Amino acid sequence: MVQVNGLKKSFGSNEVLKGIDLQVSSGEVVCIIGPSGSGKSTLLRCLNRLEKIDGGSVIINNVDINQKDININKVRENIGMVFQHFNLFPHLNVRENITLAPVELGILSKDEADKKALDLLNQVGLSEKINAYPNSLSGGQKQRVAIARALAMDPDIMLFDEPTSALDPEMVGDVLNVMKDLAAQGMTMVVVTHEMGFAREVGDRVVFMDGGYIVEVDTPDNIFNSPKEERTKSFLDKVL
Ligand code: ADP
Ligand code: MG
């Protein structure tokens, strides 16, 4: 479903991705871990062309997303993205946040979108907040709405960039449980996370990045219990 080949990305003279190769299969959950500044967010942003790349290719569902003649908006409709800071529209209530994109893009009628919003809010445990505004929600609730909003487009793949890093500790579990349910339903997911417990339990594979490279990719069991690379070991020694 996702095929990244020799991906390079620089900001000015700072080469942030130095040749990334990564495949993600349908239904797979790939967790990306690694120190701050290693290029995790940049890699994720390259997967829906939020960044212009300098080399290599990103192929999603057999489409090379950096080709000039492709319709990037069509590609993005199939890629849900959830950020650390939620990015909900503050002037719209929860229902409107969730229904805006599918209605505006003509994918669902208003009635269909409203029904879907309620289904999705049930799924993330927030149906009673359907008319609430973002500023009345806790961080964990906002993040669950952000996940519901991304799901409203029926994406083939969901990208998460540290979805729990901005949350108070007591909210983290609710968001991780929603993500775990999603994984169990077969969603293809790429998750940048500092939650090693989640990566270990829910990840099919774990990618360790450092310095713009993928240092090691393996099953959670191998990464956490018998990492092959020194850099992986020393990172895990610091965070576990
Ligand atoms: P991570 O998510 O692993 O912490 P990032 O992908 O955010 O790492 O950043 C990797 C490097 O790229 C850092 O050195 C960061 O300063 C740089 N960087 C990221 N985004 C930009 C940008 N928009 N402009 C300039 N430098 C950037
Ligand atoms: Mg980041």
Side-chain angles (χ1 to χ4, degrees), residues 11 14 16 35-43 51 161-162:
F11 293 104
N14 181 15
V16 170
S36 180
S38 56
K40 306 181 299 296
S41 294
T42 303
L43 171 57
E51 301 290 352
D161 193 358
E162 297 193 25

Side-chain angles (χ1 to χ4, degrees), residues 123 176-187 189 198 202:
Q123 187 178 331
L176 292 179
N177 280 333
V178 166
M179 293 168 63
K180 205 165 131 183
D181 287 348
L182 206 52
Q185 290 165 26
M187 178 61 78
M189 297 165 56
F198 180 88
V202 183

Side-chain angles (χ1 to χ4, degrees), residues 3-22:
Q3 197 160 342
V4 177
N5 299 306
L7 171 60
K8 292 189 176 185
K9 170 67 188 172
S10 300
F11 293 104
S13 60
N14 181 15
E15 190 173 48
V16 170
L17 300 177
K18 300 175 179 171
I20 299 284
D21 298 305
L22 179 68

Side-chain angles (χ1 to χ4, degrees), residues 16 45 51 67 80 96 111 116 122 127 178 202 233:
V16 170
R45 292 167 58 80
E51 301 290 352
Q67 265 177 3
E96 292 160 343
D111 283 352
K116 180 147 203 166
N122 275 316
S127 53
V178 166
V202 183
K233 277 180 209 162

Side-chain angles (χ1 to χ4, degrees), residues 63-113:
V63 175
D64 181 338
I65 67 168
N66 292 290
Q67 265 177 3
K68 280 196 187 67
D69 52 349
I70 66 129
N71 181 345
I72 189 64
N73 293 323
K74 273 276 170 249
V75 172
R76 288 193 185 127
E77 284 176 12
N78 280 316
I79 306 174
M81 186 145 184
V82 175
F83 303 89
Q84 189 174 344
H85 292 290
F86 331 125
N87 301 0
L88 295 176
F89 304 113
H91 59 293
L92 300 180
N93 70 24
V94 165
R95 181 176 45 75
E96 292 160 343
N97 263 279
I98 295 171
T99 58
L100 181 71
V103 172
E104 289 282 309
L105 294 169
I107 292 164
L108 297 176
S109 70
K110 180 145 188 334
D111 283 352
E112 288 167 338

Side-chain angles (χ1 to χ4, degrees), residues 199-200 203-206 217-225 228:
R200 191 193 285 260
D204 294 304
R205 284 184 301 147
V206 176
V217 189
D218 214 327
T219 61
D221 188 41
N222 284 339
I223 290 281
F224 290 110
N225 298 328
K228 291 188 187 66

